[in-house]
Amino acid sequence: MAFHILHTLKHGAELPPEVVNYMYSTGAFVILKDFPEGHEFGIDYKSWTVGPKFLGLKMIPAGVHFVYCSVKGAPRIGFFHNFKSEEIVAKRWDAKKETFSDEPVSDEEINRIRMNLKNIDSMLGPYPFENYRSWYALTDFINGQTVERVNPLKGQISAQAELVSMETCLMENEELNATVGCSNSVDREHPTRTRFVDQQGLPIMKIREGYEIRFIAIPQLRADENRVGIDYTDRLERLLRQL
């Protein structure tokens, strides 16, 4: 079916009714509850400003997709997910935190959504198949294991990394803080605030734990390696063995 869709789109034609029906019956769904009207929601290459009845997307091809959204004045946040055929991925929007809610949607509620799909069909936008070729080319060699390996532990990716100072990291880590004795308050036991700065006097910042994309580090060259020329094939092979 993927080849059929690619062939059809290559010639600029619209998807035939039988393909549309097939994608509706086998495609995945993403449901986003409580997302406010007038803000951005998107998947892969396409985003929209949602209306008052928006509830999510339908006919999503099986595979790895990036779902994202943002409210005005805030950076985009999103998540990668390896959608299975006919899967329903449901999220809630936390209006106070302006992000996806940490509270999972129960299996019981997912089943209620599945039973009610025909009634909410008009509130679900179709996957943007005009971008199918680009999505397919980028994700054809990516699988669910790849997503699990690199995804942040918190499961969300922000266009603006959530940075915290080194002293904040220490204070949030009770075990490490007990060893270092980091303090953000001034009292008799801690006459000065603990501050970590770089050579320019700027605070040392890092991405908050759990929000880092877990890239694999490129192996470093060993000092005892005898190397001639610029061939780094061995480093590439070492990196691939870690995948």
Side-chain angles (χ1 to χ4, degrees):
M1 182 55 66
F3 177 79
H4 190 177
I5 296 174
L6 289 170
H7 180 75
T8 301
L9 295 175
K10 181 178 180 181
H11 294 85
E14 294 184 358
L15 293 177
E18 62 270 19
V19 175
V20 173
N21 292 335
Y22 175 83
M23 290 308 303
Y24 184 83
S25 61
T26 64
F29 298 81
V30 60
I31 305 296
L32 181 56
K33 308 189 74 172
D34 304 324
F35 190 65
E37 176 187 359
H39 298 289
E40 181 190 36
F41 175 87
I43 185 169
D44 302 331
Y45 281 90
K46 186 77 171 182
S47 66
W48 306 265
T49 299
V50 305
K53 296 183 179 180
F54 172 80
L55 196 56
L57 292 181
K58 58 188 176 183
M59 301 168 59
I60 301 173
V64 176
H65 296 272
F66 185 64
V67 179
Y68 55 91
C69 54
S70 71
V71 295
K72 293 179 180 178
R76 281 180 175 177
I77 58 170
F79 60 91
F80 280 103
H81 186 79
N82 183 34
F83 285 86
K84 310 296 190 301
S85 179
E86 302 182 52
E87 181 181 12
I88 295 176
V89 174
K91 299 278 188 180
R92 284 192 179 86
W93 183 256
D94 189 325
K96 291 184 178 180
K97 296 181 179 179
E98 295 187 341
T99 185
F100 299 104
S101 173
D102 293 329
E103 181 183 352
V105 177
S106 66
D107 292 339
E108 182 180 353
E109 188 166 356
I110 294 289
N111 289 332
R112 285 200 299 268
I113 293 172
R114 187 177 298 279
M115 297 295 293
N116 199 39
L117 282 176
K118 289 186 177 180
N119 294 328
I120 64 174
D121 182 73
S122 62
M123 304 177 187
L124 303 175
Y127 181 83
F129 279 91
E130 64 269 24
N131 301 123
Y132 183 89
R133 289 178 59 84
S134 298
W135 166 78
Y136 187 88
L138 281 177
T139 62
D140 190 30
F141 296 99
I142 301 176
N143 55 32
Q145 291 179 332
T146 306
V147 173
E148 288 296 324
R149 188 180 69 245
V150 303
N151 241 358
L153 295 176
K154 295 292 186 179
Q156 295 183 18
I157 297 174
S158 174
Q160 179 178 310
E162 185 172 351
L163 299 175
V164 292
S165 64
M166 185 67 73
E167 52 265 28
T168 299
C169 293
L170 288 174
M171 286 187 293
E172 291 179 347
N173 187 324
E174 295 182 1
E175 182 178 348
L176 185 59
N177 188 28
T179 303
V180 178
C182 180
S183 174
N184 196 37
S185 60
V186 176
D187 53 30
R188 289 185 178 181
E189 295 183 1
H190 306 92
T192 60
R193 288 187 175 90
T194 304
R195 291 289 183 263
F196 296 90
V197 297
D198 60 18
Q199 293 180 346
Q200 285 74 42
L202 299 174
I204 298 175
M205 309 294 287
K206 63 172 292 186
I207 298 177
R208 184 180 290 278
E209 186 175 353
Y211 290 90
E212 312 98 327
I213 300 177
R214 296 177 292 168
F215 295 115
I216 292 179
I218 297 177
Q220 298 298 309
L221 294 176
R222 296 191 300 271
D224 60 346
E225 287 182 295
N226 294 320
R227 182 173 301 280
V228 178
I230 58 173
D231 183 10
Y232 292 98
T233 304
D234 58 323
R235 276 209 293 178
L236 175 60
E237 291 175 346
R238 269 186 278 165
L239 177 62
L240 294 176
R241 283 196 293 269
Q242 298 179 49
L243 300 181

